[in-house]
Amino acid sequence: MEAVNPLTSYVTDREVRALSAANRARVLGLRDDYESMFQQVLERGKRTGQFQIDDLSTTRMALLEMCNGVSNWYRPGGRLSVAEIQDRFADLATRLVGCPSVPPAESGTGLQVARLDSEPLDQHADEEALA
């Protein structure tokens, strides 16, 4: 989502305090659900022996930051496409949790992410607002 919806990601990651109380509660609830999914997957992987993780919390935060940070540096037309980033991040994530890499054809990467209505049609039109 972050590569395709960078302004929305920026607001939800760094400007939550500027939202109305109702919207802030909604966004924080969505964020908590998102982080909980990561936690549950990591706990299950460790419990079943699929993942070799010493510190679940740090691993979860590293994965979340890796994913959420894309909005800070990804640019359409750059060196890597969204699909290539997805494939490379899937490989990095498997290494981080200590399990064998999965070929892109088997990992489900390359998923299409919809541009949210909150994003301008020209994503670079509002870049000055982020500077």
Side-chain angles (χ1 to χ4, degrees), residues 41-117:
V41 168
L42 294 172
E43 287 172 350
R44 182 177 181 191
K46 183 174 181 173
R47 184 176 63 252
T48 62
Q50 297 296 309
F51 296 164
Q52 307 305 311
I53 302 171
D54 292 328
D55 185 334
L56 282 168
S57 181
T58 302
T59 302
R60 177 179 52 84
M61 295 305 289
L63 288 167
L64 286 165
E65 187 59 33
M66 183 174 76
C67 295
N68 295 339
V70 171
S71 64
N72 295 318
W73 56 264
Y74 174 77
R75 296 293 177 262
R79 186 173 66 87
L80 300 173
S81 69
V82 171
E84 290 170 319
I85 293 168
Q86 288 172 331
D87 290 342
R88 290 178 187 205
F89 274 28
D91 181 59
L92 290 168
T94 58
R95 292 176 191 211
L96 186 62
V97 299
C99 71
S101 293
V102 177
E106 296 177 25
S107 68
T109 58
L111 301 173
Q112 295 298 314
V113 177
R115 186 187 63 80
L116 299 174
D117 291 338

Coordinates of all heavy atoms in Angstrom, one line a residue, residues 41-117:
V41 N 1.3 -13.9 13.2 CA 2.1 -14.7 12.2 C 3.4 -15.1 12.8 O 3.9 -16.2 12.7 CB 2.2 -14.0 10.8 CG1 3.2 -14.6 9.9 CG2 0.8 -13.9 10.2
L42 N 4.1 -14.1 13.3 CA 5.4 -14.4 13.9 C 5.4 -15.3 15.1 O 6.2 -16.3 15.2 CB 6.1 -13.1 14.3 CG 6.5 -12.1 13.2 CD1 7.0 -10.8 13.8 CD2 7.5 -12.7 12.3
E43 N 4.4 -15.2 15.9 CA 4.2 -16.1 17.1 C 4.0 -17.5 16.6 O 4.5 -18.5 17.1 CB 3.1 -15.6 18.0 CG 3.4 -14.4 18.8 CD 2.3 -13.9 19.6 OE1 1.1 -14.3 19.3 OE2 2.5 -13.0 20.4
R44 N 3.1 -17.6 15.6 CA 2.7 -19.0 15.1 C 4.0 -19.6 14.4 O 4.2 -20.8 14.6 CB 1.6 -18.9 14.1 CG 1.2 -20.2 13.5 CD 0.0 -20.1 12.6 NE -0.4 -21.4 12.2 CZ -1.3 -21.6 11.2 NH1 -1.9 -20.6 10.7 NH2 -1.5 -22.9 10.9
G45 N 4.7 -18.8 13.6 CA 5.9 -19.3 12.9 C 6.9 -19.8 13.9 O 7.6 -20.8 13.7
K46 N 7.1 -19.0 15.0 CA 8.1 -19.5 16.0 C 7.6 -20.7 16.8 O 8.3 -21.7 17.0 CB 8.3 -18.3 17.0 CG 9.3 -18.7 18.1 CD 9.7 -17.5 19.0 CE 10.7 -18.0 20.0 NZ 11.3 -16.9 20.7
R47 N 6.3 -20.7 17.1 CA 5.7 -21.9 17.8 C 5.8 -23.2 17.0 O 6.1 -24.2 17.6 CB 4.3 -21.6 18.2 CG 3.6 -22.6 19.1 CD 2.2 -22.2 19.5 NE 1.3 -22.1 18.3 CZ 0.8 -20.9 17.9 NH1 1.1 -19.8 18.4 NH2 0.0 -20.9 16.8
T48 N 5.6 -23.1 15.7 CA 5.6 -24.3 14.9 C 7.0 -24.6 14.4 O 7.2 -25.7 13.7 CB 4.7 -24.1 13.6 OG1 5.2 -23.0 12.8 CG2 3.2 -23.9 14.1
G49 N 8.0 -23.8 14.7 CA 9.4 -24.1 14.3 C 9.7 -23.6 12.9 O 10.8 -23.9 12.4
Q50 N 8.8 -23.0 12.2 CA 9.0 -22.5 10.9 C 9.9 -21.2 10.9 O 10.7 -21.0 9.9 CB 7.7 -22.1 10.2 CG 6.8 -23.3 10.0 CD 7.4 -24.3 9.0 OE1 7.8 -24.0 7.9 NE2 7.4 -25.6 9.5
F51 N 9.9 -20.5 12.0 CA 10.7 -19.3 12.1 C 11.7 -19.4 13.2 O 11.3 -20.0 14.3 CB 9.8 -18.0 12.4 CG 8.8 -17.6 11.3 CD1 7.8 -16.8 11.6 CD2 8.9 -18.1 10.0 CE1 6.9 -16.4 10.6 CE2 8.0 -17.8 9.0 CZ 7.0 -16.9 9.3
Q52 N 12.8 -18.9 13.0 CA 13.9 -18.9 14.1 C 14.0 -17.4 14.5 O 14.8 -16.7 13.9 CB 15.2 -19.4 13.5 CG 15.1 -20.8 12.9 CD 14.5 -21.8 13.8 OE1 14.9 -22.0 14.9 NE2 13.5 -22.6 13.3
I53 N 13.3 -17.1 15.6 CA 13.2 -15.7 16.0 C 13.6 -15.6 17.5 O 13.1 -16.3 18.3 CB 11.8 -15.1 15.9 CG1 11.4 -15.2 14.4 CG2 11.8 -13.7 16.4 CD1 9.9 -14.8 14.2
D54 N 14.6 -14.8 17.8 CA 15.0 -14.6 19.2 C 14.2 -13.6 19.9 O 13.8 -13.7 21.1 CB 16.5 -14.2 19.3 CG 17.4 -15.3 18.9 OD1 17.1 -16.5 19.1 OD2 18.5 -15.0 18.3
D55 N 13.8 -12.5 19.2 CA 13.1 -11.4 19.8 C 11.9 -11.0 18.9 O 12.1 -10.3 17.9 CB 14.0 -10.2 19.9 CG 13.4 -9.0 20.7 OD1 12.2 -8.8 20.7 OD2 14.2 -8.2 21.2
L56 N 10.7 -11.5 19.3 CA 9.5 -11.3 18.5 C 9.2 -9.8 18.3 O 8.9 -9.4 17.2 CB 8.3 -12.0 19.1 CG 8.2 -13.5 18.9 CD1 7.1 -14.1 19.8 CD2 7.9 -13.8 17.4
S57 N 9.3 -9.0 19.3 CA 8.9 -7.6 19.3 C 9.8 -6.9 18.3 O 9.3 -6.1 17.4 CB 9.0 -7.0 20.7 OG 8.6 -5.7 20.6
T58 N 11.1 -7.0 18.4 CA 12.1 -6.4 17.5 C 11.9 -6.8 16.1 O 11.9 -6.0 15.2 CB 13.5 -6.6 18.0 OG1 13.6 -6.1 19.3 CG2 14.5 -5.8 17.1
T59 N 11.7 -8.1 15.9 CA 11.5 -8.6 14.5 C 10.2 -8.0 13.9 O 10.2 -7.6 12.8 CB 11.4 -10.2 14.5 OG1 12.6 -10.7 15.1 CG2 11.2 -10.7 13.1
R60 N 9.1 -8.0 14.7 CA 7.9 -7.4 14.2 C 8.1 -5.9 13.9 O 7.7 -5.5 12.8 CB 6.8 -7.5 15.3 CG 5.5 -6.8 14.9 CD 4.4 -7.0 16.0 NE 4.8 -6.5 17.3 CZ 4.8 -5.3 17.7 NH1 4.4 -4.3 17.0 NH2 5.2 -5.0 19.0
M61 N 8.7 -5.2 14.7 CA 9.0 -3.7 14.4 C 9.9 -3.6 13.2 O 9.6 -2.7 12.4 CB 9.6 -3.0 15.6 CG 8.7 -3.0 16.8 SD 7.0 -2.3 16.5 CE 7.5 -0.6 16.3
A62 N 10.9 -4.4 13.0 CA 11.7 -4.3 11.8 C 10.9 -4.6 10.5 O 11.1 -3.9 9.6 CB 12.9 -5.3 11.9
L63 N 10.1 -5.6 10.6 CA 9.3 -5.9 9.4 C 8.3 -4.8 9.1 O 8.1 -4.4 7.9 CB 8.5 -7.2 9.6 CG 9.4 -8.5 9.5 CD1 8.6 -9.7 10.0 CD2 9.9 -8.7 8.1
L64 N 7.6 -4.3 10.1 CA 6.7 -3.2 9.9 C 7.4 -1.9 9.4 O 6.9 -1.3 8.5 CB 6.0 -2.8 11.3 CG 5.0 -3.8 11.7 CD1 4.6 -3.6 13.2 CD2 3.7 -3.7 10.8
E65 N 8.5 -1.6 9.9 CA 9.3 -0.4 9.4 C 9.7 -0.6 8.0 O 9.7 0.3 7.2 CB 10.5 -0.1 10.4 CG 11.1 1.2 10.0 CD 10.2 2.4 10.1 OE1 9.3 2.4 11.0 OE2 10.4 3.4 9.3
M66 N 10.2 -1.8 7.7 CA 10.6 -2.1 6.3 C 9.4 -1.8 5.4 O 9.6 -1.2 4.3 CB 11.1 -3.6 6.2 CG 11.6 -3.9 4.9 SD 12.3 -5.6 4.8 CE 10.8 -6.6 4.8
C67 N 8.3 -2.3 5.7 CA 7.1 -2.2 4.8 C 6.6 -0.7 4.8 O 6.3 -0.2 3.8 CB 6.0 -3.1 5.3 SG 6.4 -4.8 5.1
N68 N 6.4 -0.1 6.0 CA 5.9 1.2 6.1 C 6.8 2.3 5.5 O 6.4 3.3 5.0 CB 5.5 1.6 7.5 CG 4.4 0.7 8.0 OD1 3.6 0.1 7.2 ND2 4.3 0.6 9.3
G69 N 8.1 2.0 5.6 CA 9.1 3.0 5.1 C 9.2 3.2 3.6 O 9.8 4.1 3.2
V70 N 8.6 2.3 2.9 CA 8.6 2.4 1.4 C 8.1 3.7 0.9 O 8.6 4.3 0.0 CB 7.8 1.2 0.8 CG1 7.7 1.4 -0.7 CG2 8.5 -0.1 1.0
S71 N 7.1 4.2 1.6 CA 6.5 5.5 1.2 C 7.5 6.7 1.2 O 7.3 7.7 0.6 CB 5.3 5.9 2.0 OG 5.7 6.1 3.4
N72 N 8.6 6.5 2.0 CA 9.6 7.6 2.1 C 10.5 7.6 0.9 O 11.1 8.7 0.6 CB 10.4 7.4 3.4 CG 9.6 7.6 4.6 OD1 8.7 8.5 4.7 ND2 9.8 6.8 5.6
W73 N 10.7 6.5 0.2 CA 11.7 6.5 -0.8 C 11.2 6.0 -2.2 O 11.9 6.3 -3.2 CB 12.9 5.7 -0.4 CG 12.6 4.3 0.0 CD1 12.4 3.8 1.3 CD2 12.5 3.1 -0.9 NE1 12.2 2.4 1.2 CE2 12.2 2.0 -0.1 CE3 12.6 2.9 -2.2 CZ2 12.0 0.7 -0.6 CZ3 12.4 1.7 -2.8 CH2 12.2 0.6 -1.9
Y74 N 10.2 5.3 -2.3 CA 9.7 4.7 -3.6 C 9.2 5.9 -4.5 O 8.5 6.7 -4.0 CB 8.6 3.7 -3.4 CG 8.0 3.3 -4.7 CD1 8.7 2.4 -5.5 CD2 6.8 3.8 -5.2 CE1 8.3 2.0 -6.8 CE2 6.4 3.4 -6.4 CZ 7.1 2.5 -7.2 OH 6.6 2.2 -8.5
R75 N 9.6 5.8 -5.7 CA 9.1 6.7 -6.8 C 8.7 5.9 -8.0 O 9.5 5.1 -8.4 CB 10.1 7.8 -7.1 CG 10.5 8.7 -6.0 CD 9.3 9.6 -5.6 NE 9.6 10.5 -4.5 CZ 9.3 10.3 -3.2 NH1 8.7 9.1 -2.9 NH2 9.6 11.1 -2.3
P76 N 7.5 6.1 -8.5 CA 7.2 5.4 -9.8 C 8.2 5.7 -10.9 O 8.7 6.9 -10.9 CB 5.8 6.0 -10.2 CG 5.3 6.5 -8.9 CD 6.4 7.0 -8.1
G77 N 8.6 4.8 -11.6 CA 9.6 5.0 -12.7 C 11.0 4.9 -12.1 O 12.0 5.1 -12.9
G78 N 11.2 4.5 -10.9 CA 12.5 4.4 -10.3 C 13.1 3.1 -10.7 O 12.7 2.4 -11.6
R79 N 14.2 2.8 -10.0 CA 15.0 1.6 -10.4 C 14.2 0.3 -10.3 O 14.4 -0.6 -11.0 CB 16.3 1.5 -9.5 CG 17.2 0.4 -9.8 CD 18.5 0.6 -9.0 NE 18.3 0.3 -7.6 CZ 18.4 -0.9 -7.0 NH1 18.6 -1.9 -7.8 NH2 18.2 -1.0 -5.7
L80 N 13.4 0.2 -9.3 CA 12.6 -1.0 -9.0 C 11.1 -0.8 -9.2 O 10.6 0.3 -8.7 CB 12.9 -1.6 -7.6 CG 14.3 -2.0 -7.3 CD1 14.4 -2.3 -5.8 CD2 14.7 -3.1 -8.2
S81 N 10.4 -1.7 -9.7 CA 8.9 -1.6 -9.8 C 8.3 -2.1 -8.4 O 9.1 -2.7 -7.6 CB 8.4 -2.5 -10.9 OG 8.6 -3.9 -10.5
V82 N 7.1 -1.8 -8.2 CA 6.4 -2.3 -7.0 C 6.5 -3.8 -6.9 O 6.9 -4.4 -5.8 CB 4.9 -1.9 -6.9 CG1 4.2 -2.5 -5.8 CG2 4.9 -0.3 -6.8
A83 N 6.3 -4.5 -8.0 CA 6.4 -6.0 -8.0 C 7.8 -6.5 -7.6 O 8.0 -7.4 -6.8 CB 6.0 -6.6 -9.3
E84 N 8.9 -5.8 -8.1 CA 10.2 -6.1 -7.8 C 10.5 -5.9 -6.3 O 11.2 -6.7 -5.6 CB 11.2 -5.4 -8.6 CG 11.2 -5.8 -10.1 CD 12.0 -4.9 -11.0 OE1 11.9 -3.7 -10.9 OE2 12.7 -5.5 -11.9
I85 N 10.0 -4.8 -5.8 CA 10.2 -4.5 -4.3 C 9.5 -5.5 -3.5 O 10.0 -6.0 -2.5 CB 9.7 -3.1 -4.0 CG1 10.5 -2.0 -4.7 CG2 9.6 -2.9 -2.5 CD1 9.9 -0.6 -4.7
Q86 N 8.3 -5.9 -3.9 CA 7.6 -7.0 -3.2 C 8.4 -8.3 -3.1 O 8.5 -8.9 -2.1 CB 6.2 -7.2 -3.8 CG 5.2 -6.1 -3.6 CD 3.9 -6.4 -4.5 OE1 4.0 -7.0 -5.5 NE2 2.8 -5.9 -4.0
D87 N 8.9 -8.7 -4.3 CA 9.7 -9.9 -4.3 C 11.0 -9.8 -3.4 O 11.3 -10.7 -2.7 CB 10.2 -10.2 -5.7 CG 9.0 -10.6 -6.6 OD1 7.9 -11.0 -6.1 OD2 9.2 -10.6 -7.9
R88 N 11.6 -8.7 -3.5 CA 12.9 -8.5 -2.7 C 12.5 -8.4 -1.2 O 13.3 -9.0 -0.4 CB 13.6 -7.3 -3.1 CG 14.2 -7.5 -4.5 CD 15.0 -6.3 -5.0 NE 15.4 -6.6 -6.4 CZ 16.4 -6.0 -7.0 NH1 17.1 -5.2 -6.4 NH2 16.7 -6.3 -8.3
F89 N 11.5 -7.7 -0.8 CA 11.1 -7.7 0.6 C 10.6 -9.0 1.1 O 10.9 -9.3 2.2 CB 10.0 -6.6 0.8 CG 10.5 -5.2 1.0 CD1 11.7 -4.8 0.4 CD2 9.8 -4.3 1.7 CE1 12.2 -3.5 0.6 CE2 10.2 -3.0 1.8 CZ 11.4 -2.6 1.3
A90 N 9.9 -9.8 0.3 CA 9.5 -11.2 0.7 C 10.8 -12.0 1.0 O 10.9 -12.7 2.0 CB 8.7 -11.8 -0.3
D91 N 11.8 -11.9 0.2 CA 13.1 -12.6 0.4 C 13.7 -12.1 1.7 O 14.2 -12.9 2.5 CB 14.0 -12.4 -0.8 CG 15.3 -13.1 -0.6 OD1 15.3 -14.4 -0.5 OD2 16.4 -12.5 -0.7
L92 N 13.8 -10.7 1.8 CA 14.4 -10.2 3.1 C 13.7 -10.6 4.3 O 14.3 -10.9 5.3 CB 14.4 -8.7 3.0 CG 15.4 -8.1 2.0 CD1 15.2 -6.6 1.7 CD2 16.9 -8.3 2.4
A93 N 12.3 -10.6 4.2 CA 11.5 -11.0 5.4 C 11.8 -12.5 5.8 O 11.9 -12.8 7.0 CB 10.0 -10.8 5.1
T94 N 11.9 -13.4 4.8 CA 12.1 -14.8 5.1 C 13.5 -14.9 5.8 O 13.7 -15.7 6.7 CB 12.0 -15.7 3.9 OG1 12.9 -15.3 2.9 CG2 10.6 -15.7 3.4
R95 N 14.5 -14.2 5.3 CA 15.8 -14.2 5.9 C 15.8 -13.7 7.4 O 16.4 -14.2 8.2 CB 16.8 -13.4 5.1 CG 17.1 -14.0 3.8 CD 18.0 -13.0 3.0 NE 18.1 -13.5 1.6 CZ 19.2 -13.3 0.9 NH1 20.2 -12.7 1.4 NH2 19.2 -13.6 -0.4
L96 N 15.0 -12.6 7.6 CA 14.9 -12.0 8.9 C 14.3 -13.0 9.9 O 14.7 -13.0 11.1 CB 14.0 -10.7 8.8 CG 14.0 -9.9 10.1 CD1 15.3 -9.4 10.5 CD2 13.0 -8.8 9.9
V97 N 13.4 -13.8 9.5 CA 12.8 -14.8 10.4 C 13.4 -16.1 10.4 O 13.0 -17.1 11.1 CB 11.2 -14.9 10.2 CG1 10.6 -13.6 10.4 CG2 10.9 -15.5 8.9
G98 N 14.5 -16.3 9.6 CA 15.3 -17.5 9.6 C 14.6 -18.7 8.9 O 14.8 -19.8 9.4
C99 N 13.9 -18.4 7.9 CA 13.4 -19.5 7.1 C 13.8 -19.4 5.7 O 14.2 -18.4 5.2 CB 11.8 -19.6 7.2 SG 10.9 -18.3 6.4
P100 N 13.7 -20.6 4.9 CA 14.2 -20.5 3.5 C 13.4 -19.6 2.7 O 12.2 -19.4 2.9 CB 14.0 -22.0 3.1 CG 13.8 -22.8 4.3 CD 13.3 -21.9 5.4
S101 N 14.0 -19.0 1.7 CA 13.3 -18.1 0.8 C 12.3 -18.9 0.0 O 12.4 -20.1 -0.3 CB 14.3 -17.5 -0.2 OG 15.1 -16.6 0.5
V102 N 11.2 -18.3 -0.4 CA 10.2 -18.8 -1.2 C 10.2 -18.2 -2.6 O 10.3 -17.0 -2.7 CB 8.8 -18.6 -0.6 CG1 7.7 -19.2 -1.4 CG2 8.8 -19.2 0.8
P103 N 10.2 -19.0 -3.7 CA 10.2 -18.4 -5.0 C 9.0 -17.4 -5.2 O 7.9 -17.7 -4.7 CB 10.1 -19.6 -6.0 CG 10.6 -20.8 -5.1 CD 10.2 -20.4 -3.7
P104 N 9.2 -16.3 -5.9 CA 8.1 -15.4 -6.1 C 6.9 -16.0 -6.6 O 5.8 -15.6 -6.2 CB 8.7 -14.4 -7.1 CG 10.2 -14.4 -6.9 CD 10.5 -15.8 -6.5
A105 N 7.0 -17.0 -7.5 CA 5.8 -17.6 -8.0 C 4.9 -18.3 -6.9 O 3.7 -18.5 -7.1 CB 6.1 -18.6 -9.1
E106 N 5.6 -18.7 -5.8 CA 4.9 -19.3 -4.7 C 4.5 -18.4 -3.5 O 3.8 -18.8 -2.6 CB 5.8 -20.5 -4.2 CG 6.0 -21.6 -5.2 CD 6.9 -22.7 -4.6 OE1 7.0 -22.8 -3.4 OE2 7.6 -23.3 -5.4
S107 N 5.1 -17.2 -3.5 CA 4.9 -16.4 -2.3 C 3.7 -15.5 -2.4 O 3.4 -14.8 -1.4 CB 6.2 -15.5 -2.1 OG 6.3 -14.6 -3.1
G108 N 3.1 -15.3 -3.5 CA 2.0 -14.4 -3.6 C 2.3 -13.0 -3.8 O 1.5 -12.1 -3.6
T109 N 3.6 -12.7 -4.1 CA 4.0 -11.3 -4.3 C 3.5 -10.9 -5.7 O 3.1 -11.7 -6.5 CB 5.5 -11.2 -4.2 OG1 6.2 -12.0 -5.1 CG2 6.0 -11.5 -2.8
G110 N 3.7 -9.7 -6.0 CA 3.2 -9.1 -7.2 C 1.7 -8.8 -7.2 O 1.1 -8.6 -8.2
L111 N 1.2 -8.7 -6.0 CA -0.2 -8.4 -5.8 C -0.4 -6.9 -6.2 O 0.4 -6.1 -5.9 CB -0.7 -8.6 -4.4 CG -0.5 -10.0 -3.8 CD1 -0.8 -10.0 -2.3 CD2 -1.4 -11.0 -4.6
Q112 N -1.6 -6.7 -6.8 CA -1.9 -5.3 -7.2 C -2.5 -4.6 -6.0 O -3.4 -5.1 -5.4 CB -2.9 -5.3 -8.4 CG -2.3 -5.9 -9.6 CD -1.1 -5.1 -10.1 OE1 -1.1 -3.8 -10.2 NE2 0.0 -5.7 -10.4
V113 N -2.1 -3.4 -5.7 CA -2.6 -2.6 -4.6 C -3.3 -1.4 -5.2 O -2.8 -0.7 -6.1 CB -1.5 -2.1 -3.7 CG1 -2.0 -1.2 -2.6 CG2 -0.7 -3.3 -3.1
A114 N -4.6 -1.2 -4.8 CA -5.4 -0.2 -5.3 C -4.9 1.2 -4.8 O -4.5 1.3 -3.6 CB -6.8 -0.4 -4.9
R115 N -5.0 2.2 -5.7 CA -4.8 3.6 -5.2 C -6.0 4.0 -4.5 O -7.1 3.9 -5.0 CB -4.5 4.5 -6.4 CG -4.1 5.9 -6.0 CD -4.0 6.8 -7.2 NE -5.3 7.0 -7.8 CZ -6.3 7.8 -7.4 NH1 -6.1 8.5 -6.3 NH2 -7.4 7.9 -8.1
L116 N -5.8 4.5 -3.3 CA -7.0 5.0 -2.5 C -7.5 6.3 -3.0 O -6.7 7.1 -3.6 CB -6.5 5.1 -1.0 CG -6.0 3.8 -0.3 CD1 -5.5 4.1 1.0 CD2 -7.1 2.8 -0.3
D117 N -8.7 6.6 -2.7 CA -9.3 7.9 -3.1 C -8.6 9.0 -2.4 O -8.7 10.2 -2.9 CB -10.8 7.9 -2.7 CG -11.6 6.9 -3.6 OD1 -11.2 6.6 -4.7 OD2 -12.7 6.5 -3.2

